[in-house]
């Protein structure tokens, strides 16, 4: 039986990505897009890669950038990533947990929950969690995780054609 990781577990680390991590992040994004093909239907481009803008990846690795990538490691090994973006929402902006990916080897250890517990409380205000409607596995994960995570509130966000949206620690818009 695998022992789930806890946020304070010394085997687990969340580190803000830097410029030195850009190539690693790009490669892990390719794995993420590959895995998503079971519901996204995305095809490879002519160069054998999934559509992923290198400049966009670089923007997550800027030291004072608005959008941030966090690398997840277990025992020093790359285990996944979390992308956080500040996006326009309603009449202002909201922080969005945009993408979360855990390498298959490290799944079922509680890594996604532990990372969420480390990242979200470090920022005041509400968050948006959006899950692609076609990604049923991710929706099941988050619905279950919301019952265990220490959020003040989890409310349905506004209807969106492509996403299930959840407002975390804030008020749902009218």
């Amino acid at each position: 039986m695998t022992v789930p990781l806890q946020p304070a577990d010394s085997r687990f680390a969340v580190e803000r990505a830097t410029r030195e991590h850009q190539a690693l992040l790009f490669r892990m994004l390719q794995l993420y897009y590959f895995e998503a093909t079971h519901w996204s239907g995305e095809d490879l481009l002519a160069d054998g890669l999934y559509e992923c803008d290198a400049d966009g990846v670089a923007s997550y690795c800027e030291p004072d950038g608005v959008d941030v990538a966090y690398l997840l490691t277990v025992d020093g090994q790359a285990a996944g990533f979390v992308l956080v973006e500040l996006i326009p929402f309603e009449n202002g902006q909201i922080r969005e947990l945009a993408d979360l990916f855990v390498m298959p080897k490290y799944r079922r250890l509680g890594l996604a929950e532990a990372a969420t517990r480390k990242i979200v409380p470090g920022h005041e205000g509400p968050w948006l969690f959006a899950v692609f409607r076609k990604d049923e596995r991710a929706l099941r994960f988050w619905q279950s995780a919301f019952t265990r995570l220490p959020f003040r509130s989890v409310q349905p966000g506004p209807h969106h054609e492509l996403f299930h949206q959840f407002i975390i620690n804030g008020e749902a818009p009218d």
Side-chain angles (χ1 to χ4, degrees):
M1 177 173 157
T2 305
V3 176
L5 293 169
Q6 299 301 314
D9 193 314
S10 62
R11 298 179 300 148
F12 167 63
V14 174
E15 174 183 359
R16 184 173 173 155
T18 66
R19 291 179 185 136
E20 291 76 31
H21 298 118
Q22 186 175 331
L24 172 62
L25 181 59
F26 181 85
R27 289 182 187 106
M28 284 197 294
L29 276 160
Q30 290 296 307
L31 297 170
Y32 173 67
Y33 295 138
F34 166 76
E35 183 169 273
T37 61
H38 76 275
W39 57 264
S40 73
E42 186 175 353
D43 288 318
L44 287 172
L45 300 174
D47 63 2
L49 297 173
Y50 290 97
E51 188 172 339
C52 184
D53 178 52
D55 290 335
V57 173
S59 72
Y60 289 105
C61 301
E62 292 299 320
D64 48 349
V66 174
D67 299 334
V68 178
Y70 294 93
L71 298 178
L72 312 179
T73 60
V74 174
D75 295 327
Q77 295 295 308
F81 64 83
V82 176
L83 301 182
V84 174
E85 299 175 354
L86 190 61
I87 63 166
F89 189 77
E90 299 300 310
N91 295 324
Q93 294 184 316
I94 192 169
R95 198 167 310 282
E96 178 186 19
L97 194 142
D99 296 287
L100 188 151
F101 176 68
V102 175
M103 302 284 289
K105 174 181 177 178
Y106 298 102
R107 292 187 184 153
R108 301 215 171 287
L109 294 176
L111 192 57
E113 273 190 52
T116 303
R117 287 174 186 272
K118 281 191 171 192
I119 294 168
V120 173
H123 301 279
E124 289 297 318
W127 282 72
L128 175 69
F129 282 46
V131 179
F132 281 98
R133 288 192 176 276
K134 291 184 177 180
D135 191 352
E136 295 172 5
R137 187 177 72 194
L139 180 61
R140 283 190 309 272
F141 167 77
W142 283 115
Q143 287 173 327
S144 175
F146 289 152
T147 66
R148 296 182 300 275
L149 288 164
F151 299 144
R152 287 190 318 272
S153 64
V154 177
Q155 301 175 24
H159 176 77
H160 191 283
E161 188 175 315
L162 297 176
F163 301 101
H164 295 281
Q165 296 188 117
F166 303 93
I167 307 296
I168 309 302
N169 296 339
E171 299 300 317
D174 297 328

